[in-house]
Amino acid sequence: MSGRTFAQKAIARAAGLPDAAVGQIVDVRPDLVLSHDNTAAIAAMFYRLGLKKVRDPDRLAITLDHAVPPPTPRHAQNHAEIRRFVAEQGIRNFFEAGRGICHQVLSEEALVLPGQMILGADSHTTHFGWMGAFGAGVGRSEVLALWATGEIWLRVPESIRIVLTGRLPPGVTTKDLCLRIFRDLGADGGLYRSVEFAGEGVRHLSIESRMGIANFMAEFGVKNAYLPPDDRVFDWLAPRRARRTGEPIEAVRERIAAGALYPDPDAPYEAEYVYRLEDLEPMVACPHSVDHVRPLREVAGTRIDMAFIGTCTNGRLEDIAAAAEILRGRRIAPGVRLLVIPASREVLEEALRRGFIQTLVEAGAMIGVPGCGPCMGNHMGIPAPGEVVISSGSRNFRGRMGTPDAEIYLASPAVVAASALRGVITDPREITSGNTDAPGAE
């Protein structure tokens, strides 16, 4: 028998089968089912069908994150309906408005572990590949079926292997890596594929950088993304899981490591690509497509009106730290608005402790409640018609941030911060750290 990919192994495990072939359709029982503000709509369908109780409330996780605080009476009503549903169904894994974005929160809570499966009513559920879990987005009707039965069918996807070598140079991030992949292979280059990263370059990436890769791969059209879990992953998850279970950390860590899945050396891949991390440079996705990508040097100098750092792709502590480092002792450019929204309350609290938030506020930034913010155009920073936005988010199609006539550029948080400082798209490597004599400095 030939080797198996991660996707084959993970789906076989979730299906309770010894093996699963590429293209095979199997019934799986995921370890966790995710929904967020869309829970209200799913619950309404659930009750309309005459259903009374979800199959396994302990396998559900619900987070209020897409419209927090609620910007309209309708959003507030949705939240109220979700709270009632949670109480009626006895769902313990419920996270209130302000706790943060679902993918970040569930990672911090260690509700999903390496080798497990999470299916969610959000396309960025690919996020959980950072730890070597199988995460995939599904539709609302599929989530309803999971609530009712605990199971759903999946087709075992073909797999693509992306090998990373070397280390990222200063000023370059995994956001730039992903944008380069999109430019090279197209926004549909991973359509319904399992994209499995490999190579010694993965070992040198921080946990948060790995989260950024797996999350952003949703824009590549993938079914799931996978990075091989290592000691850094196990050490990050173990104390968090132990807090939930009350067990000794070492015992929890050992169990987490034992559950990890890795592709076989002779696993069948549809294609393989190699990226030398040291050769990468800052990249920018230009309006109005995530694969309309150019090197930053080719779009540098483009005027901006608004800069946004946040979202499930890039609202983590290292992202906020990068922005604070660039803006320390400086002021953002006149006429530019900078909005920073941490991905979770945990990120916000740590950013406060380290002084990053004070630095950003002193630079002129607005700080938002942990959540999705303006990413999907609900509220908290919607651009005006004709305005230009540079964002650390994941999508820039026309109207994504609520305004069809706005132009959205996507870049790393460091590029966003440097651009807010200068008022034009700027390479952060041009900004000397701590140089209070720079233009716009106090």
Side-chain angles (χ1 to χ4, degrees), residues 20-295:
V22 173
Q24 184 178 352
I25 294 175
V26 300
D27 291 326
V28 297
R29 182 176 175 80
D31 297 276
L32 201 66
V33 179
L34 157 71
S35 58
H36 43 66
D37 301 47
N38 55 20
T39 301
I42 303 171
M45 293 189 293
F46 186 81
Y47 289 133
R48 278 200 304 270
L49 290 174
L51 300 170
K52 303 296 183 183
K53 296 293 290 183
V54 299
R55 177 66 177 267
D56 190 345
D58 287 343
R59 287 181 182 249
L60 271 58
I62 296 172
T63 307
L64 298 182
D65 60 2
H66 273 54
V68 296
T72 69
R74 180 64 251 179
H75 287 97
Q77 180 63 30
N78 281 348
H79 288 187
E81 291 170 4
I82 292 168
R83 294 183 186 104
R84 284 197 294 271
F85 177 77
V86 165
E88 290 170 1
Q89 299 294 331
I91 297 168
R92 296 186 295 175
N93 298 320
F94 172 63
F95 303 96
E96 260 290 359
R99 177 62 181 86
I101 304 174
C102 53
H103 312 298
Q104 181 71 19
V105 170
L106 301 193
S107 294
E108 292 170 353
E109 296 286 337
L111 282 172
V112 184
L113 299 176
Q116 293 186 342
M117 176 179 288
I118 174 171
L119 301 180
D122 187 280
S123 59
H124 291 103
T125 307
T126 57
H127 175 99
F128 298 91
W130 75 264
M131 69 173 76
F134 187 100
V138 295
R140 294 180 182 184
S141 58
E142 285 79 11
V143 168
L144 188 157
L146 285 163
W147 286 0
T149 68
E151 297 181 352
I152 199 167
W153 65 264
L154 285 181
R155 177 185 176 277
V156 181
E158 292 80 4
S159 295
I160 295 172
R161 187 170 188 252
I162 298 180
V163 180
L164 305 180
T165 67
R167 296 174 182 261
L168 289 168
V172 181
T173 73
T174 52
K175 185 64 165 279
D176 302 302
L177 165 67
C178 294
L179 290 173
R180 173 64 185 273
I181 291 171
F182 301 162
R183 188 191 75 167
D184 292 348
L185 305 179
D188 60 353
L191 194 60
Y192 207 97
R193 301 297 189 268
S194 173
V195 175
E196 304 184 5
F197 288 84
E200 49 88 18
V202 175
R203 291 189 300 108
H204 304 308
L205 300 177
S206 69
I207 292 294
E208 296 183 335
S209 291
R210 300 181 199 194
M211 289 181 180
I213 292 176
N215 185 291
F216 206 17
M217 282 296 110
E219 309 312 315
F220 192 38
V222 305
K223 186 62 178 176
N224 71 285
Y226 167 83
L227 286 83
D230 56 17
D231 287 341
R232 185 176 289 186
V233 170
F234 305 145
D235 291 341
W236 195 90
L237 288 169
R240 297 167 183 273
R241 185 73 171 194
R243 283 199 297 269
R244 297 189 65 85
T245 64
E247 300 171 272
I249 291 177
E250 282 306 314
V252 172
R253 187 190 186 283
E254 184 176 344
R255 189 165 65 251
I256 291 173
L261 294 175
Y262 302 91
D264 294 328
D266 59 342
Y269 290 100
E270 187 177 72
E272 178 174 300
Y273 306 94
V274 178
Y275 284 88
R276 290 165 46 91
L277 296 179
E278 63 268 29
D279 292 342
L280 298 178
E281 61 179 309
M283 309 293 286
V284 176
C286 302
H288 295 279
S289 174
V290 74
D291 59 358
H292 181 200
V293 175
R294 296 166 63 185

Side-chain angles (χ1 to χ4, degrees), residues 170-173 176 282 296 304 307 309 317-333 336 338 340 355-365 390 392 411-442:
V172 181
T173 73
D176 302 302
L296 184 150
I304 66 164
I309 296 173
L317 187 66
E318 73 176 20
D319 302 320
I320 294 171
E325 179 68 17
I326 288 167
L327 294 171
R328 184 172 292 112
R330 300 181 170 99
R331 295 282 298 180
I332 62 175
V336 171
L338 171 60
V340 179
F356 299 153
I357 298 300
Q358 181 174 346
T359 294
L360 294 170
V361 170
E362 289 174 351
I390 187 163
S392 72
S412 74
V415 172
V416 175
S419 302
L421 179 66
R422 295 275 179 85
V424 297
I425 295 179
T426 299
D427 190 328
R429 297 173 298 183
E430 297 176 3
I431 310 297
T432 304
S433 176
N435 176 13
T436 56
D437 294 328
E442 292 181 322

Side-chain angles (χ1 to χ4, degrees), residues 393-416:
S394 58
R395 291 175 179 163
N396 66 339
F397 58 78
R398 194 181 296 277
R400 170 62 181 181
M401 294 183 72
T403 309
D405 294 330
E407 294 189 346
I408 304 170
Y409 291 80
L410 303 179
S412 74
V415 172
V416 175

